[in-house]
mmCIF file of all heavy atoms in Angstrom:
data_model
loop_
_atom_site.group_PDB
_atom_site.id
_atom_site.type_symbol
_atom_site.label_atom_id
_atom_site.label_comp_id
_atom_site.label_asym_id
_atom_site.label_seq_id
_atom_site.Cartn_x
_atom_site.Cartn_y
_atom_site.Cartn_z
ATOM 1 N N VAL A 1 0.886 -1.190 -0.011
ATOM 2 C CA VAL A 1 -0.033 -0.048 -0.025
ATOM 3 C C VAL A 1 0.912 1.224 0.028
ATOM 4 O O VAL A 1 1.590 1.462 0.953
ATOM 5 C CB VAL A 1 -0.962 -0.013 1.214
ATOM 6 C CG1 VAL A 1 -1.777 1.263 1.174
ATOM 7 C CG2 VAL A 1 -1.814 -1.153 1.258
ATOM 8 N N LEU A 2 0.848 1.992 -1.085
ATOM 9 C CA LEU A 2 1.589 3.282 -1.221
ATOM 10 C C LEU A 2 0.672 4.399 -0.707
ATOM 11 O O LEU A 2 -0.531 4.506 -1.061
ATOM 12 C CB LEU A 2 1.897 3.450 -2.713
ATOM 13 C CG LEU A 2 2.248 4.920 -3.082
ATOM 14 C CD1 LEU A 2 3.638 5.264 -2.588
ATOM 15 C CD2 LEU A 2 2.219 5.103 -4.634
ATOM 16 N N GLY A 3 1.266 5.213 0.141
ATOM 17 C CA GLY A 3 0.547 6.384 0.630
ATOM 18 C C GLY A 3 1.138 7.658 0.032
ATOM 19 O O GLY A 3 2.403 7.878 0.097
ATOM 20 N N VAL A 4 0.336 8.572 -0.600
ATOM 21 C CA VAL A 4 0.782 9.855 -0.977
ATOM 22 C C VAL A 4 -0.022 10.848 -0.091
ATOM 23 O O VAL A 4 -1.257 10.876 -0.136
ATOM 24 C CB VAL A 4 0.450 10.144 -2.432
ATOM 25 C CG1 VAL A 4 0.903 11.538 -2.851
ATOM 26 C CG2 VAL A 4 1.196 9.095 -3.361
ATOM 27 N N HIS A 5 0.727 11.528 0.760
ATOM 28 C CA HIS A 5 0.119 12.370 1.821
ATOM 29 C C HIS A 5 0.367 13.865 1.547
ATOM 30 O O HIS A 5 1.490 14.297 1.339
ATOM 31 C CB HIS A 5 0.665 12.051 3.168
ATOM 32 C CG HIS A 5 0.734 10.520 3.503
ATOM 33 N ND1 HIS A 5 -0.407 9.853 3.849
ATOM 34 C CD2 HIS A 5 1.744 9.655 3.414
ATOM 35 C CE1 HIS A 5 -0.091 8.588 3.984
ATOM 36 N NE2 HIS A 5 1.206 8.425 3.708
ATOM 37 N N ILE A 6 -0.739 14.584 1.389
ATOM 38 C CA ILE A 6 -0.670 16.018 0.990
ATOM 39 C C ILE A 6 -1.112 16.960 2.139
ATOM 40 O O ILE A 6 -2.160 16.666 2.688
ATOM 41 C CB ILE A 6 -1.564 16.316 -0.271
ATOM 42 C CG1 ILE A 6 -1.224 15.322 -1.424
ATOM 43 C CG2 ILE A 6 -1.373 17.738 -0.757
ATOM 44 C CD1 ILE A 6 0.247 15.416 -1.859
ATOM 45 N N ALA A 7 -0.294 17.905 2.403
ATOM 46 C CA ALA A 7 -0.678 18.910 3.456
ATOM 47 C C ALA A 7 -2.107 19.402 3.210
ATOM 48 O O ALA A 7 -2.534 19.631 2.103
ATOM 49 C CB ALA A 7 0.316 20.011 3.425
ATOM 50 N N ALA A 8 -2.841 19.666 4.290
ATOM 51 C CA ALA A 8 -4.264 19.920 4.184
ATOM 52 C C ALA A 8 -4.724 21.272 4.665
ATOM 53 O O ALA A 8 -5.533 21.380 5.571
ATOM 54 C CB ALA A 8 -5.012 18.825 4.959
ATOM 55 N N PRO A 9 -4.192 22.384 4.147
ATOM 56 C CA PRO A 9 -4.759 23.755 4.491
ATOM 57 C C PRO A 9 -6.185 23.830 4.185
ATOM 58 O O PRO A 9 -6.897 24.600 4.813
ATOM 59 C CB PRO A 9 -3.923 24.678 3.648
ATOM 60 C CG PRO A 9 -3.393 23.972 2.479
ATOM 61 C CD PRO A 9 -3.167 22.566 3.058
ATOM 62 N N GLY A 10 -6.734 23.035 3.217
ATOM 63 C CA GLY A 10 -8.153 23.084 2.851
ATOM 64 C C GLY A 10 -9.014 22.632 3.934
ATOM 65 O O GLY A 10 -10.238 22.828 3.824
ATOM 66 N N LEU A 11 -8.512 21.971 4.977
ATOM 67 C CA LEU A 11 -9.332 21.589 6.106
ATOM 68 C C LEU A 11 -9.563 22.763 7.022
ATOM 69 O O LEU A 11 -10.470 22.712 7.968
ATOM 70 C CB LEU A 11 -8.711 20.378 6.909
ATOM 71 C CG LEU A 11 -8.699 19.077 6.180
ATOM 72 C CD1 LEU A 11 -7.800 18.036 6.970
ATOM 73 C CD2 LEU A 11 -10.144 18.496 6.046
ATOM 74 N N ALA A 12 -8.807 23.758 6.948
ATOM 75 C CA ALA A 12 -8.877 24.955 7.808
ATOM 76 C C ALA A 12 -9.310 26.184 7.115
ATOM 77 O O ALA A 12 -10.134 26.992 7.575
ATOM 78 C CB ALA A 12 -7.527 25.171 8.534
ATOM 79 N N ILE A 13 -8.646 26.479 5.976
ATOM 80 C CA ILE A 13 -8.988 27.675 5.168
ATOM 81 C C ILE A 13 -10.280 27.364 4.466
ATOM 82 O O ILE A 13 -10.394 26.307 3.827
ATOM 83 C CB ILE A 13 -7.837 28.010 4.221
ATOM 84 C CG1 ILE A 13 -6.555 28.271 5.005
ATOM 85 C CG2 ILE A 13 -8.268 29.237 3.384
ATOM 86 C CD1 ILE A 13 -5.335 28.419 4.122
ATOM 87 N N ALA A 14 -11.216 28.251 4.464
ATOM 88 C CA ALA A 14 -12.519 28.080 3.800
ATOM 89 C C ALA A 14 -12.593 29.041 2.623
ATOM 90 O O ALA A 14 -12.162 30.207 2.728
ATOM 91 C CB ALA A 14 -13.675 28.282 4.737
ATOM 92 N N PRO A 15 -13.281 28.656 1.521
ATOM 93 C CA PRO A 15 -13.537 29.603 0.435
ATOM 94 C C PRO A 15 -14.199 30.836 0.906
ATOM 95 O O PRO A 15 -15.189 30.822 1.589
ATOM 96 C CB PRO A 15 -14.417 28.838 -0.538
ATOM 97 C CG PRO A 15 -14.120 27.323 -0.277
ATOM 98 C CD PRO A 15 -13.854 27.302 1.240
ATOM 99 N N GLY A 16 -13.648 31.982 0.527
ATOM 100 C CA GLY A 16 -14.234 33.271 0.915
ATOM 101 C C GLY A 16 -13.741 33.823 2.220
ATOM 102 O O GLY A 16 -14.068 35.005 2.512
ATOM 103 N N ASP A 17 -12.926 33.087 3.045
ATOM 104 C CA ASP A 17 -12.364 33.739 4.225
ATOM 105 C C ASP A 17 -11.145 34.578 4.018
ATOM 106 O O ASP A 17 -10.732 34.692 2.844
ATOM 107 C CB ASP A 17 -12.181 32.709 5.380
ATOM 108 C CG ASP A 17 -11.036 31.771 5.041
ATOM 109 O OD1 ASP A 17 -10.262 32.076 4.131
ATOM 110 O OD2 ASP A 17 -10.905 30.772 5.742
ATOM 111 N N ALA A 18 -10.625 35.206 5.037
ATOM 112 C CA ALA A 18 -9.532 36.151 4.888
ATOM 113 C C ALA A 18 -8.315 35.561 4.294
ATOM 114 O O ALA A 18 -7.577 36.120 3.424
ATOM 115 C CB ALA A 18 -9.228 36.839 6.251
ATOM 116 N N LEU A 19 -7.929 34.354 4.726
ATOM 117 C CA LEU A 19 -6.732 33.658 4.195
ATOM 118 C C LEU A 19 -6.986 33.264 2.763
ATOM 119 O O LEU A 19 -6.048 33.306 1.898
ATOM 120 C CB LEU A 19 -6.361 32.435 5.038
ATOM 121 C CG LEU A 19 -5.352 32.707 6.153
ATOM 122 C CD1 LEU A 19 -5.178 31.457 6.945
ATOM 123 C CD2 LEU A 19 -4.019 33.193 5.570
ATOM 124 N N ASP A 20 -8.201 32.855 2.438
ATOM 125 C CA ASP A 20 -8.512 32.532 1.033
ATOM 126 C C ASP A 20 -8.313 33.794 0.177
ATOM 127 O O ASP A 20 -7.771 33.635 -0.947
ATOM 128 C CB ASP A 20 -9.878 31.978 0.921
ATOM 129 C CG ASP A 20 -10.365 31.844 -0.563
ATOM 130 O OD1 ASP A 20 -9.615 31.268 -1.320
ATOM 131 O OD2 ASP A 20 -11.475 32.262 -0.911
ATOM 132 N N ALA A 21 -8.668 34.930 0.655
ATOM 133 C CA ALA A 21 -8.558 36.144 -0.127
ATOM 134 C C ALA A 21 -7.021 36.434 -0.382
ATOM 135 O O ALA A 21 -6.702 36.824 -1.488
ATOM 136 C CB ALA A 21 -9.160 37.329 0.651
ATOM 137 N N VAL A 22 -6.202 36.178 0.546
ATOM 138 C CA VAL A 22 -4.736 36.342 0.391
ATOM 139 C C VAL A 22 -4.207 35.416 -0.732
ATOM 140 O O VAL A 22 -3.509 35.765 -1.622
ATOM 141 C CB VAL A 22 -3.963 36.153 1.760
ATOM 142 C CG1 VAL A 22 -2.489 35.933 1.467
ATOM 143 C CG2 VAL A 22 -4.361 37.267 2.689
ATOM 144 N N GLY A 23 -4.568 34.104 -0.539
ATOM 145 C CA GLY A 23 -4.115 33.154 -1.501
ATOM 146 C C GLY A 23 -4.719 33.448 -2.886
ATOM 147 O O GLY A 23 -3.909 33.315 -3.936
ATOM 148 N N ARG A 24 -5.904 33.842 -3.008
ATOM 149 C CA ARG A 24 -6.476 34.100 -4.298
ATOM 150 C C ARG A 24 -5.900 35.389 -5.008
ATOM 151 O O ARG A 24 -5.804 35.492 -6.174
ATOM 152 C CB ARG A 24 -7.957 34.232 -4.199
ATOM 153 C CG ARG A 24 -8.655 34.423 -5.532
ATOM 154 C CD ARG A 24 -10.175 34.095 -5.499
ATOM 155 N NE ARG A 24 -10.704 34.358 -6.811
ATOM 156 C CZ ARG A 24 -11.983 34.125 -7.154
ATOM 157 N NH1 ARG A 24 -12.776 33.693 -6.183
ATOM 158 N NH2 ARG A 24 -12.427 34.361 -8.332
ATOM 159 N N ALA A 25 -5.468 36.325 -4.162
ATOM 160 C CA ALA A 25 -4.820 37.506 -4.694
ATOM 161 C C ALA A 25 -3.407 37.166 -5.233
ATOM 162 O O ALA A 25 -3.010 37.718 -6.236
ATOM 163 C CB ALA A 25 -4.645 38.602 -3.585
ATOM 164 N N ARG A 26 -2.709 36.216 -4.563
ATOM 165 C CA ARG A 26 -1.350 35.908 -5.009
ATOM 166 C C ARG A 26 -1.286 34.743 -6.056
ATOM 167 O O ARG A 26 -0.465 34.745 -6.922
ATOM 168 C CB ARG A 26 -0.455 35.599 -3.828
ATOM 169 C CG ARG A 26 -0.379 36.721 -2.801
ATOM 170 C CD ARG A 26 0.863 36.724 -1.982
ATOM 171 N NE ARG A 26 0.943 37.916 -1.159
ATOM 172 C CZ ARG A 26 2.047 38.281 -0.559
ATOM 173 N NH1 ARG A 26 3.144 37.478 -0.565
ATOM 174 N NH2 ARG A 26 2.056 39.462 0.147
ATOM 175 N N LEU A 27 -2.092 33.779 -5.739
ATOM 176 C CA LEU A 27 -2.304 32.597 -6.690
ATOM 177 C C LEU A 27 -1.184 31.632 -6.739
ATOM 178 O O LEU A 27 -1.365 30.437 -7.036
ATOM 179 C CB LEU A 27 -2.670 33.081 -8.080
ATOM 180 C CG LEU A 27 -3.974 33.796 -8.219
ATOM 181 C CD1 LEU A 27 -4.041 34.665 -9.415
ATOM 182 C CD2 LEU A 27 -5.095 32.766 -8.243
ATOM 183 N N SER A 28 -0.020 31.998 -6.351
ATOM 184 C CA SER A 28 1.128 31.062 -6.395
ATOM 185 C C SER A 28 2.288 31.672 -5.669
ATOM 186 O O SER A 28 2.318 32.908 -5.491
ATOM 187 C CB SER A 28 1.636 30.786 -7.822
ATOM 188 O OG SER A 28 2.778 30.041 -7.870
ATOM 189 N N THR A 29 3.237 30.882 -5.106
ATOM 190 C CA THR A 29 4.486 31.325 -4.607
ATOM 191 C C THR A 29 5.313 31.788 -5.874
ATOM 192 O O THR A 29 5.311 31.080 -6.828
ATOM 193 C CB THR A 29 5.251 30.193 -3.831
ATOM 194 O OG1 THR A 29 4.452 30.076 -2.588
ATOM 195 C CG2 THR A 29 6.612 30.583 -3.420
ATOM 196 N N VAL A 30 6.070 32.878 -5.668
ATOM 197 C CA VAL A 30 6.966 33.316 -6.720
ATOM 198 C C VAL A 30 8.392 32.925 -6.396
ATOM 199 O O VAL A 30 8.866 33.191 -5.261
ATOM 200 C CB VAL A 30 6.926 34.833 -6.850
ATOM 201 C CG1 VAL A 30 7.648 35.322 -8.066
ATOM 202 C CG2 VAL A 30 5.474 35.364 -6.919
ATOM 203 N N TYR A 31 9.018 32.225 -7.322
ATOM 204 C CA TYR A 31 10.408 31.736 -7.084
ATOM 205 C C TYR A 31 11.362 32.561 -7.920
ATOM 206 O O TYR A 31 11.046 32.954 -9.033
ATOM 207 C CB TYR A 31 10.567 30.320 -7.428
ATOM 208 C CG TYR A 31 9.703 29.422 -6.552
ATOM 209 C CD1 TYR A 31 8.431 28.937 -6.927
ATOM 210 C CD2 TYR A 31 10.146 28.970 -5.274
ATOM 211 C CE1 TYR A 31 7.631 28.117 -6.098
ATOM 212 C CE2 TYR A 31 9.369 28.155 -4.452
ATOM 213 C CZ TYR A 31 8.159 27.781 -4.869
ATOM 214 O OH TYR A 31 7.396 27.042 -4.075
ATOM 215 N N MET A 32 12.551 32.817 -7.345
ATOM 216 C CA MET A 32 13.723 33.451 -8.096
ATOM 217 C C MET A 32 14.908 33.106 -7.344
ATOM 218 O O MET A 32 14.888 32.758 -6.135
ATOM 219 C CB MET A 32 13.460 34.968 -8.188
ATOM 220 C CG MET A 32 13.488 35.662 -6.840
ATOM 221 S SD MET A 32 12.554 37.245 -6.919
ATOM 222 C CE MET A 32 10.900 36.576 -6.412
ATOM 223 N N PRO A 33 16.141 33.159 -7.962
ATOM 224 C CA PRO A 33 17.365 32.889 -7.289
ATOM 225 C C PRO A 33 17.506 33.722 -6.006
ATOM 226 O O PRO A 33 17.381 34.952 -5.996
ATOM 227 C CB PRO A 33 18.416 33.249 -8.267
ATOM 228 C CG PRO A 33 17.769 32.993 -9.615
ATOM 229 C CD PRO A 33 16.347 33.421 -9.448
ATOM 230 N N GLY A 34 17.730 33.062 -4.884
ATOM 231 C CA GLY A 34 18.026 33.741 -3.600
ATOM 232 C C GLY A 34 16.829 34.281 -2.876
ATOM 233 O O GLY A 34 16.986 34.864 -1.786
ATOM 234 N N HIS A 35 15.584 34.061 -3.415
ATOM 235 C CA HIS A 35 14.445 34.732 -2.722
ATOM 236 C C HIS A 35 13.155 34.063 -3.281
ATOM 237 O O HIS A 35 13.153 33.449 -4.331
ATOM 238 C CB HIS A 35 14.392 36.245 -3.085
ATOM 239 C CG HIS A 35 13.401 36.987 -2.235
ATOM 240 N ND1 HIS A 35 13.436 36.936 -0.873
ATOM 241 C CD2 HIS A 35 12.470 37.908 -2.565
ATOM 242 C CE1 HIS A 35 12.508 37.750 -0.414
ATOM 243 N NE2 HIS A 35 11.907 38.366 -1.460
ATOM 244 N N LYS A 36 12.142 34.198 -2.460
ATOM 245 C CA LYS A 36 10.738 33.794 -2.945
ATOM 246 C C LYS A 36 9.715 34.648 -2.256
ATOM 247 O O LYS A 36 9.945 35.128 -1.111
ATOM 248 C CB LYS A 36 10.522 32.306 -2.689
ATOM 249 C CG LYS A 36 10.439 31.862 -1.247
ATOM 250 C CD LYS A 36 10.218 30.347 -1.148
ATOM 251 C CE LYS A 36 10.192 29.867 0.347
ATOM 252 N NZ LYS A 36 9.979 28.438 0.425
ATOM 253 N N ILE A 37 8.615 34.794 -2.812
ATOM 254 C CA ILE A 37 7.463 35.410 -2.223
ATOM 255 C C ILE A 37 6.374 34.419 -2.087
ATOM 256 O O ILE A 37 5.799 33.933 -3.053
ATOM 257 C CB ILE A 37 6.926 36.599 -3.139
ATOM 258 C CG1 ILE A 37 8.079 37.566 -3.412
ATOM 259 C CG2 ILE A 37 5.793 37.313 -2.457
ATOM 260 C CD1 ILE A 37 7.688 38.672 -4.463
ATOM 261 N N THR A 38 6.125 33.977 -0.845
ATOM 262 C CA THR A 38 5.201 32.887 -0.663
ATOM 263 C C THR A 38 3.725 33.303 -0.867
ATOM 264 O O THR A 38 3.332 34.476 -0.662
ATOM 265 C CB THR A 38 5.329 32.295 0.750
ATOM 266 O OG1 THR A 38 5.105 33.329 1.739
ATOM 267 C CG2 THR A 38 6.789 31.760 0.942
#
């Protein structure tokens, strides 16, 4: 039995709440050498 386990922010963050608004505004972490914007 292989398990693939994924972190579950979706169990706490709800669509439409304040943290969802932050995630939806940014949409992704930004990567670049030496730095990232989460």
Side-chain angles (χ1 to χ4, degrees):
V1 179
L2 163 73
V4 180
H5 312 282
I6 306 302
L11 289 172
I13 301 170
D17 71 12
L19 267 177
D20 172 44
V22 167
R24 185 160 177 178
R26 300 205 172 193
L27 293 161
S28 171
T29 290
V30 187
Y31 296 96
M32 65 205 86
H35 193 51
K36 67 180 178 181
I37 304 171
T38 57

